[in-house]
Amino acid sequence: MAYKPQFGPGSTLIAENRRKYMNPGYKLQKMRDVSDEDVVLLMGHRAPGAAYPTAHPPLAEAGEPKCPVRKLVVPLDGAKTGDRVRYIQFSDSMWFAPCHPYLRSYLEAIRYRGVDPGTLSGRQIVECRERDLEKIAKELVSSELFDPARTAIKGATVHGHSLRLAENGMMFDMLQRYVLDPKDKVVKYVKNQIGEPLDKPISVGKPNDDKWLKAHTTIYNCNGGVAFRDDKEYLEWTQRVHSLRTKYGFMPME
Amino acid sequence: MTEATYPQCRIVPARLLNPSTVERLLNGIFATGKIRRMVLNGPNLPAEVPYGPAKGLPNPHEGRKTIKVADEDVQLQVQVGVVILELMDEAAIEDLKEVCDRVFTDFSYSIQKGRYMKSQMTLTDYAKYGPGMEKDLLGMADPRSKGCPIIIQGVK
């Protein structure tokens, strides 16, 4: 019988959403249109239309040594041309954001090749060759994993994911990279991810309502959402993992 | 002689507040006339980007505004999340509830009783203010900043 990955335990909607997003067979729902130029501006690594700066000569000219692994692994477009490695970093509010840092790393490692995702407590960074990163960033920002009010692109000064929301429902940002337009209720980025002002605001669409967020979130939250303790199966497996790794650390031979 | 201790409480709204809401709330609180000291707490909103690649750039933020409280200009330096108060007497809490009910119409809040203000000097306080510091000013401003507490006249 062929192996069928389960992706994770749990019987609640939260667990189901986590499995869904991690499953590469599930196509992420597209929620908004963000242009290539906007993604480049939001990340702020190069000017739109500028040539990609390189970190090394193209692989075809580099004269690679004969190696069976190099023959097996097809390089990414960015690696072929010698692009720099660049990053995009997300911060997800604990108030029912669709995704969260650990899940982002899991799903990126499963869904994309040649990425280096890294999770920290309140933020998640993904590094990749520049031209490939732009494609991945565009997909992440335009998909259901991104909510304009509860998810933010924050390259530095990320504080805010665990704070209360502002009165208009936006996640706190000390640098106010994004604002909710009071007229059309659309979230607009006025600074790039590291806090440099943009020449023109970039629209990322309207925030989703609470009903949508609670149906699509992957975060357990006992304040108005699904409590972690209510998911018996998830709790049991988490405790089992903690127990086994503690025992292993204490006496590995057993 | 024993020093008088005054009751303290804090107002915790369910959302971080806009400057206009803070202005309405504080003016309502001051109108009760039963407040001795007050501290506004919340995440910092610096005038310049303090660190990261954009360090030193100006940081325009809608939350960093000057509001008018009892005819005094107050420059907000934080996005207000908690208001800590020292009261003349405990009966003032009922007045505060009325004010909060009037201001917080779209979200909930809670008022908690306890001891929330600094009661002892830290080393930083001692280094900045010296041994003869006025006790009422303790904890009223960040000792690392150049800011001073704002004294609003006309309240006992």
Side-chain angles (χ1 to χ4, degrees), chain A residues 101-241:
Chain A
Y102 269 102
L103 185 68
R104 276 189 189 278
S105 282
Y106 293 151
L107 70 89
E108 283 161 4
I110 293 169
R111 283 174 181 266
Y112 305 115
R113 285 184 65 229
V115 292
D116 181 6
T119 293
L120 297 105
S121 58
R123 56 196 164 112
Q124 193 269 353
I125 188 167
V126 54
E127 296 180 1
C128 186
R129 299 286 186 155
E130 197 163 359
R131 73 187 65 198
D132 303 296
L133 176 72
E134 285 168 10
K135 287 179 207 153
I136 292 169
K138 186 178 174 185
E139 190 176 328
L140 290 173
V141 174
S142 38
S143 76
E144 60 188 307
L145 298 176
F146 186 92
D147 176 69
R150 313 285 170 100
T151 310
I153 304 165
K154 293 178 176 176
T157 324
V158 294
H159 187 47
H161 83 283
S162 62
L163 299 183
R164 282 163 283 165
L165 300 170
E167 283 184 50
N168 56 8
M170 302 287 287
M171 177 166 64
F172 174 78
D173 181 14
M174 187 174 93
L175 303 187
Q176 204 171 40
R177 279 162 271 226
Y178 44 87
V179 289
L180 180 70
D181 194 319
K183 281 181 195 159
D184 51 12
K185 303 288 179 199
V186 165
V187 176
K188 289 172 181 168
Y189 274 74
V190 291
K191 292 180 183 175
N192 66 14
Q193 65 171 344
I194 59 163
E196 292 166 341
L198 294 167
D199 292 335
K200 63 178 173 75
I202 294 172
S203 166
V204 288
K206 287 186 179 180
N208 294 298
D209 58 22
D210 267 11
K211 196 179 162 198
W212 187 93
L213 286 167
K214 285 185 181 173
H216 288 77
T217 187
T218 52
I219 300 174
Y220 289 101
N221 188 339
C222 61
N223 295 315
V226 179
F228 182 59
R229 287 181 186 197
D230 291 347
D231 198 332
K232 295 279 181 287
E233 191 185 324
Y234 215 113
L235 190 65
E236 190 185 315
W237 274 94
T238 309
Q239 285 172 341
R240 181 177 151 78
V241 169

